[in-house]
Amino acid sequence: RAQSLGQKPEFYNTLSNTCTTNLVRHMEKVYRVERVEDWRVVFPGYADSLAWELGLVDFDGTLEEARERLRARLVSVMADPALWSRAIRGGEKP
């Protein structure tokens, strides 16, 4: 799909074509779930709670603990530009 955007561009739409809506549509295909109709798809700041409820977050603990762990990981990776570069390309994790 990403390669086809060069030939047939798509335009951002606040309600129907955002980073979050695209991720949700891909997730529906990968996990073979029915169409996700939830207000959190439109408000990306809440998408993590939707993913948590759908069982897509692999973490033993609460949602708040998972959020804090991610914050700590991001801070450590962002402090080292070389580590950040490897991390965003799917390489080693801090």
Side-chain angles (χ1 to χ4, degrees), residues 18-65:
T18 66
C19 294
T20 304
T21 59
N22 282 297
L23 286 172
V24 168
R25 300 306 162 234
H26 289 297
M27 180 266 317
E28 290 167 345
K29 291 177 185 175
V30 169
Y31 292 99
R32 293 183 172 90
V33 297
E34 292 184 29
R35 187 165 179 88
V36 176
E37 299 290 342
D38 192 285
W39 62 271
R40 291 171 287 189
V41 172
V42 182
F43 296 98
Y46 298 95
D48 61 346
S49 66
L50 176 60
W52 185 265
E53 283 181 23
L54 293 173
L56 302 176
V57 177
D58 185 16
F59 181 76
D60 291 328
T62 67
L63 177 58
E64 280 305 317
E65 290 169 337

